[in-house]
Amino acid sequence: MEIRLVGVVGAGQMGNGIAHVFALAGYDVLMTDISEESLQKALATIEKNLDRQVARGKVLPADKRAAMERIRTTLKLADLGQCDLIIEAATERETVKQAIFEDLIPHLKPTTILTSNTSSISITRLASRTDRPERFMGFHFMNPVPVMQLVELIRGIATDQETWETLHEVVRKLGKTASSSEDFPGFIVNRILMPMINEAVYTLYEGVGNVKSIDESMKLGANHPMGPLELADFIGLDTCLSIMNVLHEGLADTKYRPCPLLTKYVEAGWLGRKTQRGFYDYRGEVPVPTR
């Protein structure tokens, strides 16, 4: 199946990044969100990120202009009905995602492929609430989308081979690399990454080290480009907690129990970079550890 028009549901950090890479790869993109302000902010972010790529010599000015012209926005979810492929990139809450798919279904072409950018929620379960489980997949991009090379492709139990092959080809056209994951909690990346971050929070919680020493130890001792607590702030502590809860509930193993300190930070609204405070305080010129 040929994919030409791509719908993106959600204009946040992931949604605008997905719209960016698809438009740059030559796809027409229709992006939707619940507020016009969010859509305009997303367009401004995409243009800024494209300008950065132009400045670095990775994108030609003409290609940047063409990419921006390929992106349209709408406040009406129903307008995505004629898309060949739809990527849901809304908040990481299953009830929200289910409601989006239920609202979309009456407006879709029979051939439309539905996907979710979820980082941990069961693809089989999401697909079962639609009228096309065989044309439903997990399409998990890494953050920041324009930079990260990996895309996880997750087949639900009912996903057919044609759908998988179509999306595998889409990833190739985006210039990225696909990894194929079975539909189990956390898939591949977060099944490995999040318990490491959670263990770093436990290391802080138990007083083994402070924020600075934990991050420096992993950067200098394990050659990680970013410390685990710094990375947690970048991802969003609410997202980290949500994924740990999915792992804990889905696999029923105490080794996935979220650290109480992670829960406390989320309850305080200290979610990382997006709220200016997390394991670091970002309100000054230089991030300062909060512990």
Side-chain angles (χ1 to χ4, degrees):
M1 177 184 172
E2 188 175 1
I3 305 295
R4 293 179 180 174
L5 177 58
V6 178
V8 179
V9 182
Q13 190 174 41
M14 296 304 295
N16 72 60
I18 292 167
H20 172 145
V21 298
F22 270 91
L24 196 57
Y27 293 94
D28 292 319
V29 177
L30 183 56
M31 181 168 54
T32 186
D33 203 285
I34 57 174
S35 80
E36 183 62 31
E37 181 184 359
S38 296
L39 291 171
Q40 292 307 313
K41 183 179 177 183
L43 289 173
T45 298
I46 293 168
E47 185 154 28
K48 181 182 72 176
N49 289 337
L50 282 167
D51 283 338
R52 186 179 293 124
Q53 290 179 310
V54 170
R56 291 175 179 171
K58 295 185 176 181
V59 172
L60 294 173
D63 292 337
K64 176 242 172 174
R65 289 192 297 271
M68 291 302 300
E69 288 172 3
R70 291 189 192 103
I71 303 172
R72 293 181 295 122
T73 63
T74 179
L75 291 171
K76 297 178 181 177
L77 196 61
D79 288 348
L80 272 62
Q82 293 306 303
C83 291
D84 303 309
L85 166 66
I86 293 176
I87 305 163
E88 172 275 313
T91 187
E92 190 70 356
R93 293 210 305 271
E94 188 166 351
T95 53
V96 173
K97 295 178 185 297
Q98 286 176 345
I100 288 168
F101 290 126
E102 285 170 7
D103 289 346
L104 269 171
I105 285 166
H107 309 286
L108 299 180
K109 300 188 299 182
T111 55
T112 300
I113 294 175
L114 285 177
T115 69
S116 176
N117 184 57
T118 179
S119 51
S120 60
I121 297 169
S122 168
I123 297 304
T124 297
R125 195 162 63 238
L126 287 173
S128 72
R129 301 289 293 270
T130 74
D131 65 343
R132 61 195 68 206
E134 71 286 349
R135 302 184 73 77
F136 192 108
M137 274 190 68
F139 207 22
H140 182 214
F141 289 82
M142 307 295 129
N143 184 36
V145 181
V147 175
M148 301 296 279
Q149 288 301 303
L150 185 74
V151 181
E152 280 186 311
L153 294 181
I154 305 101
R155 298 174 76 146
I157 198 169
T159 305
D160 65 25
Q161 185 65 19
E162 183 188 9
T163 299
W164 187 88
E165 289 174 357
T166 298
L167 292 188
H168 198 277
E169 178 62 14
V170 167
V171 174
R172 188 192 66 78
K173 287 182 178 177
L174 294 177
K176 296 188 181 295
T177 300
S179 73
S180 189
S181 170
E182 292 299 315
D183 183 24
F184 291 102
F187 315 135
I188 294 173
V189 173
N190 283 318
R191 174 75 176 266
I192 297 166
L193 176 64
M194 285 303 159
M196 185 198 75
I197 287 175
N198 194 52
E199 194 61 32
V201 183
Y202 266 115
T203 305
L204 178 65
Y205 175 63
E206 293 168 3
V208 179
N210 59 27
V211 169
K212 184 180 178 183
S213 64
I214 291 167
D215 276 352
E216 281 191 346
S217 294
M218 294 308 293
K219 284 192 284 188
L220 302 179
N223 204 28
H224 289 192
M226 194 182 290
L229 301 176
E230 183 185 2
L231 179 57
D233 275 358
F234 180 76
I235 294 167
L237 304 192
D238 52 339
T239 300
C240 294
L241 179 60
S242 173
I243 295 170
M244 285 309 302
N245 281 327
V246 167
L247 289 170
H248 191 220
E249 292 163 11
L251 298 168
D253 192 322
T254 55
K255 73 180 181 181
Y256 299 114
R257 182 172 69 95
C259 179
L261 183 60
L262 178 60
T263 302
K264 183 177 286 187
Y265 268 74
V266 172
E267 288 174 344
W270 291 20
L271 308 180
R273 285 183 176 270
K274 61 187 173 186
T275 60
Q276 297 294 296
R277 279 192 292 188
F279 292 114
Y280 292 85
D281 189 326
Y282 299 92
R283 293 174 295 176
E285 288 185 15
V286 177
V288 178
T290 53
R291 280 181 177 254

